[in-house]
Amino acid sequence: DIVMTQSPDSLAVSLGERATINCKSSQSVLYSSNNKNYLAWYQQKPGQPPKLLIYWASTRESGVPDRFSGSGSGTDFTLTISSLQSEDVAVYYCQQYYNTPYTFGQGTKLEIK
Amino acid sequence: QVQLVQSGAEVRKPGASVKVSCKASGYSFTNHYMHWVRQAPGQGLEWMGIINPSGGSTSYAQKFQGRVTMTRDTSTSTVYMELSSLRSEDTAVYYCARDRSGWTGFFDYWGQGALVTVSS
């Protein structure tokens, strides 16, 4: 199974500042035949199901604010929130869909400093 | 609009089985595979398996092979996940999650979740 490791486990950022969450996979999730990274990011608020933010490592889901961006390739990925808003307080998960079983990172809890 | 509405919370004793339903609406049911993902209290997300609502074919995570069965009813646009031989470690919120397009492997809509509690 591909192991997904996020860092840090928790993060406190001031409103309006940048938040950066990292995700590392135990093997590459870049599929050479189409040059796509099989990596998604989700946001989960308390008592709610996860919400899709980013897929193919850098494609923003429709309706997701443009302050959210994804980058990286191969085994190292980053989710960046350019200017933190109060509604961004949540737990963030990366997920690989390169092969089954699909696996998630352990989550990063984002709070306001 | 796309909606996935799951059945309610369940309490089971160890060794019993539970069946959770997920009723889809707002889109063509047979065009999107459906996944099941669970989340133990205060823990992360765990993928359990996938079902093709069109033909009914399934693929399960090895961890759950032999204990999980996913089925569907096209007449009601509902998918089901049954987990047997329950143990306390199966206490979790179980989510159905729609695949974005056919079978790509990421999830664009989620059900509200169904809490399954396993306790003697």
Side-chain angles (χ1 to χ4, degrees):
Chain A
D1 298 1
I2 298 177
V3 177
M4 307 299 290
T5 304
Q6 292 181 224
S7 61
D9 289 334
S10 63
L11 181 63
V13 174
S14 300
L15 290 173
E17 296 300 303
R18 178 185 301 261
T20 301
I21 298 170
N22 300 301
C23 175
K24 188 175 184 65
S25 57
S26 61
Q27 67 184 73
S28 175
V29 298
L30 173 62
Y31 195 39
S32 55
S33 65
N34 60 10
N35 201 36
K36 286 188 171 183
N37 287 283
Y38 284 56
L39 191 284
W41 288 96
Y42 300 86
Q43 174 194 66
Q44 187 177 32
K45 297 181 179 180
Q48 297 183 17
K51 173 188 174 183
L52 177 65
L53 297 176
I54 302 283
Y55 54 95
W56 302 128
S58 61
T59 301
R60 194 180 307 112
E61 172 70 332
S62 175
V64 173
D66 60 7
R67 63 180 180 274
F68 290 91
S69 64
S71 62
S73 184
T75 61
D76 292 279
F77 301 90
T78 300
L79 174 70
T80 302
I81 307 171
S82 60
S83 176
L84 189 70
Q85 306 299 303
S86 57
E87 60 266 32
D88 301 334
V89 169
V91 178
Y92 292 83
Y93 294 95
C94 60
Q95 177 229 342
Q96 67 79 20
Y97 48 100
Y98 184 84
N99 60 22
T100 60
Y102 302 134
T103 49
F104 295 83
Q106 79 277 16
T108 295
K109 186 175 184 178
L110 178 58
E111 300 172 313
I112 304 294
K113 183 187 292 182
Chain B
Q1 72 283 20
V2 174
Q3 280 194 306
L4 302 175
V5 179
Q6 297 184 229
S7 48
E10 304 271 12
V11 179
R12 293 287 186 273
K13 293 189 184 303
S17 298
V18 69
K19 191 171 186 177
V20 179
S21 68
C22 170
K23 183 174 176 59
S25 62
Y27 71 98
S28 178
F29 177 68
T30 55
N31 283 359
H32 296 258
Y33 284 60
M34 196 75 79
H35 303 259
W36 288 89
V37 176
R38 76 177 186 178
Q39 186 171 36
Q43 301 302 307
L45 300 162
E46 182 173 33
W47 182 81
M48 300 180 67
I50 184 174
I51 182 168
N52 176 0
S54 179
S57 60
T58 55
S59 178
Y60 304 137
Q62 188 166 6
K63 175 177 179 176
F64 300 101
Q65 286 277 1
R67 284 209 303 144
V68 70
T69 304
M70 297 176 187
T71 56
R72 95 288 188 219
D73 181 344
T74 55
S75 69
T76 59
S77 298
T78 302
V79 295
Y80 301 90
M81 187 284 300
E82 184 170 22
L83 190 62
S84 62
S85 301
L86 290 168
R87 33 212 189 226
S88 59
E89 310 89 88
D90 294 319
T91 294
V93 175
Y94 290 77
Y95 294 104
C96 57
R98 192 187 81 159
D99 197 287
R100 174 53 174 267
S101 175
W103 182 355
T104 53
F106 62 94
F107 326 119
D108 61 352
Y109 286 92
W110 296 64
Q112 82 276 18
L115 175 62
V116 175
T117 302
V118 183
S119 175
S120 55

